[in-house]
Amino acid sequence: MITSVLVANRGEIACRVFRTCHDLGIRTVAVHSDADANALHARVADASVRLPGETPADTYLRGDLLVKAALTTGADAVHPGYGFLSENAGFARAVLDAGLVWIGPPPQAVEAMASKTRAKQLMGIEPLTDVTEADLPVLVKAAAGGGGRGMRVVRHLADLDAGLAAARAEAARAFGDGEVFVEPYVENGRHVEVQILADTHGTVRPLGTRDCSLQRRHQKVIEEAPAPGLPAALDEEVRALAVRAARAVGYVGAGTVEFLVADGRAHFLEMNTRLQVEHPVTEAVFGIDLVAEQIRIAEGHPLETGPPPARGHAVEARLYAEDPARDWSPQTGTLHRLSVPGPVRLDTGYTDGDEIGVHYDPMLAKVVAHAPTRAQALRTLASALERAEIHGPVTNRDLLVRSLRHPEFTAARMDTGFYDRHLPELTDPRPDPHAPLAAALADAHGRSRFGGWRNVPSQPQTKRYVMAGVEYEARYRHTREGLEAEGVEGVRVVHADARLVILDVDGVRGRYAVARYGNQVHVNTTALRRPEHPAGRLLRNRDNT
């Protein structure tokens, strides 16, 4: 029986595993780099071990340090999470050789499937070797790891060598393995995957499908279960292929088999020998805890007879600290506030006041909605994200809300080229013109002790803000009746204090919640929101006051 688990990972997935362990009465051990010394996963674990250094190569990719940490703290099992060494057969063997329980598949299965080249060969698929013009476009892909790292699309033969070199370098940095291969690039296909569970008693169970077609740089952004609109025959085919892949390597534990679906055919991509980032949508639909199942399987228990029934539809959105309008550039800084209203599930490795650094993936959280129908799940998730308070660096929140409401997505007509086609319209700033006014009025209330109404005409006060790179000016005046907006037709100030502004716009009242952190101002509103306007708007005070 497992009594203590070390999670050889960080952030959101470490917190996720710890949550189940705490529910099961299992002691938890975290590891943390110097950059993560105050990270949430290090704070919520029962014990935490420092890995000296900041980069992944010096810390979370050091299998020897991870095993030593488990032995030092008396842990009897290791959960690898996802990313880092989760699909590294050498690390799995080192854990087992140290007398610890490995909460994952056997090393030989990891070895067979963690290398995507060997996995394809097992499925009867050979990678491209001598690439010609007729083969283009092709995809250069890391043999190890995942998360879109070590991948390059090559459309011209002259770019192949550079693509190979770049993919090798990125794969080596991310996974400690620079092996890459080349395969045909299937454009405008759907990314469909099958979740499997396999025990040590010979049972392999497919747990439905997921669609993960909305991706940027080959990294998933929005995922859902089950995959919508999949023909029954194709659904049955991918499930059967997933079971075949698992049996081919004697798989044990939780894993995912991935496919590209195009022209009514399923093209095998790879098998991920670990838990997936998007596993919560499967948990929601089947009403199970996949981490608890991983632990039970590692303890030698058989899977229960028959799969649980599927219920409804679930959708997950990955909230990143990144700017999609600027080539998806990662953002850093203090996350002052992260609050997402229900009824949704929030998996995160951050809490208010945490720092978002430069060393790791910029994912802040996963937000998951489950409902009886797909339409209701999409609506619930979009509304929760729209109403969320996310104060700090720029995020992809607006992109997520617009994606969930895009007609191509709501009609389940999406494919992996969705963002290639629609990114400009999804990242168009389209600011709410009243957000700067609300910020200025809240600021004026906070400074009202320095001045007020005068019985003489006065010039309006002005405040300048920058939103999405564009400067806006807000004007207001102190009058006998209170603050009054200037230069905005049809707007009347109903109420203004340092945190809340209520504006009457052509007879319709709307509430603007305002929060200020130095020269950074966040304005949240949904009451007067037009479909094209973001719900939460980050402004920077150009006046620096």
Side-chain angles (χ1 to χ4, degrees):
M1 183 174 67
I2 293 172
T3 62
S4 179
V5 170
L6 178 140
V7 176
N9 218 294
R10 65 175 300 279
E12 171 269 324
I13 184 55
C15 293
R16 162 70 189 93
V17 176
F18 292 155
R19 186 166 66 247
T20 291
C21 289
H22 291 156
D23 290 344
L24 297 176
I26 296 173
R27 180 173 170 269
T28 56
V29 180
V31 289
H32 67 84
S33 66
D34 290 338
D36 277 339
N38 195 43
L40 183 61
H41 76 276
R43 304 199 304 266
V44 300
D46 295 314
S48 184
V49 178
R50 175 186 175 232
L51 304 175
E54 294 188 334
T55 67
D58 293 332
T59 55
Y60 300 108
L61 289 173
R62 286 285 301 275
D64 56 334
L65 297 181
L66 298 170
V67 171
K68 180 180 178 182
L71 296 173
T72 300
T73 56
D76 47 29
V78 172
H79 191 298
Y82 45 66
F84 295 132
L85 295 176
S86 61
E87 295 177 283
N88 186 297
F91 179 55
R93 288 194 179 92
V95 169
L96 293 170
D97 289 346
L100 302 167
V101 175
W102 170 249
I103 304 177
Q108 61 270 25
V110 176
E111 200 162 48
M113 286 294 185
S115 169
K116 297 176 180 64
T117 51
R118 288 186 287 277
K120 286 181 177 292
Q121 289 166 353
L122 280 170
M123 300 297 287
I125 305 168
E126 293 294 333
L128 292 173
T129 50
D130 298 320
V131 179
T132 68
E133 287 283 353
D135 298 316
L136 298 173
V138 297
L139 182 65
V140 180
K141 197 171 185 180
R149 293 178 175 83
M151 298 176 71
R152 296 290 187 279
V153 177
V154 176
R155 300 183 182 278
H156 306 285
L157 275 182
D159 299 330
L160 182 59
D161 288 344
L164 288 166
R168 287 190 186 105
E170 187 176 22
R173 288 194 303 270
F175 315 119
D177 183 346
E179 181 188 354
V180 299
F181 65 98
V182 180
E183 66 180 7
Y185 181 53
V186 179
E187 295 194 89
N188 301 325
R190 286 179 59 184
H191 190 123
V192 174
E193 59 190 32
V194 178
Q195 174 72 59
I196 61 165
L197 282 175
D199 62 22
T200 56
H201 303 271
T203 299
V204 179
R205 177 171 301 148
L207 286 177
T209 58
R210 295 188 290 249
D211 189 294
C212 309
S213 297
L214 264 62
Q215 305 176 4
R216 51 90 161 131
R217 293 177 172 171
H218 310 290
Q219 190 170 48
K220 301 159 189 173
V221 177
I222 295 178
E223 305 104 338
E224 58 183 307
L230 208 61
L234 196 55
D235 184 282
E236 185 177 344
E237 179 187 355
V238 295
R239 292 176 192 236
L241 286 171
V243 172
R244 172 185 156 193
R247 291 196 183 282
V249 294
Y251 199 80
V252 173
T256 300
V257 184
E258 304 195 353
F259 304 88
L260 268 179
V261 174
D263 300 323
R265 296 178 54 203
H267 304 264
F268 173 79
L269 281 178
E270 63 190 20
M271 181 176 183
N272 294 124
T273 54
R274 54 172 169 81
L275 204 62
Q276 292 280 89
V277 179
E278 59 271 21
H279 75 272
V281 293
T282 297
E283 291 184 321
V285 168
F286 284 93
I288 62 174
D289 183 330
L290 286 172
V291 174
E293 292 295 324
Q294 286 183 297
I295 293 172
R296 281 178 45 82
I297 290 169
E299 291 178 325
H301 299 290
L303 290 169
E304 294 181 2
T305 304
R311 299 179 304 105
H313 202 93
V315 187
E316 171 182 296
R318 301 190 192 185
L319 180 67
Y320 287 94
E322 66 182 10
D323 190 345
R326 290 169 173 76
D327 198 29
W328 310 94
S329 58
Q331 305 292 298
T332 60
T334 303
L335 181 64
H336 300 289
R337 175 82 170 147
L338 176 60
S339 176
V340 183
V344 294
R345 166 175 166 176
L346 181 68
D347 283 12
T348 182
Y350 292 93
T351 190
D352 295 358
D354 284 351
E355 290 295 317
I356 302 165
V358 300
H359 297 290
Y360 311 112
D361 187 271
M363 188 173 76
L364 300 180
K366 303 180 310 194
V367 188
V368 186
H370 179 234
T373 66
R374 181 176 187 264
Q376 183 57 50
L378 295 181
R379 182 166 58 190
T380 298
L381 183 56
S383 177
L385 287 165
E386 185 177 55
R387 296 174 181 275
E389 294 180 343
I390 308 166
H391 300 166
V394 171
T395 73
N396 68 335
R397 184 257 296 274
D398 294 342
L399 173 91
L400 296 175
V401 173
R402 291 170 177 173
S403 298
L404 291 164
R405 290 175 172 156
H406 193 280
E408 189 174 302
F409 185 67
T410 58
R413 292 186 285 105
M414 65 288 182
D415 56 49
T416 55
F418 180 83
Y419 287 124
D420 292 335
R421 294 190 300 275
H422 300 299
L423 190 61
E425 66 187 86
L426 293 171
T427 55
D428 183 350
R430 293 172 279 180
D432 182 338
H434 303 122
L437 175 61
L441 293 172
D443 183 72
H445 182 276
R447 298 169 183 273
S448 61
R449 64 185 182 275
F450 298 113
W453 174 77
R454 298 178 181 179
N455 194 25
V456 293
S458 64
Q459 293 297 315
Q461 302 294 306
T462 62
K463 296 287 290 184
R464 290 176 295 275
Y465 298 93
V466 175
M467 291 192 297
V470 179
E471 183 173 305
Y472 295 84
E473 183 178 84
R475 292 185 291 162
Y476 61 90
R477 186 190 301 270
H478 291 278
T479 70
R480 187 188 300 273
E481 288 76 26
L483 290 169
E484 182 179 284
E486 287 277 334
V488 186
E489 292 293 329
V491 176
R492 182 172 63 87
V493 182
V494 178
H495 170 84
D497 62 37
R499 296 184 178 181
L500 176 66
V501 174
I502 302 176
L503 300 177
D504 184 304
V505 180
D506 295 327
V508 180
R509 290 188 179 186
R511 299 164 64 89
Y512 291 77
V514 182
R516 178 171 172 162
Y517 310 91
N519 76 330
Q520 190 180 97
V521 184
H522 289 265
V523 179
N524 281 75
T525 184
T526 57
L528 291 178
R529 186 191 62 81
R530 294 176 181 268
E532 68 271 17
H533 292 157
R537 177 53 62 187
L538 167 64
L539 306 93
R540 299 194 184 277
N541 186 354
R542 184 65 180 270
D543 297 324
N544 293 320
T545 58

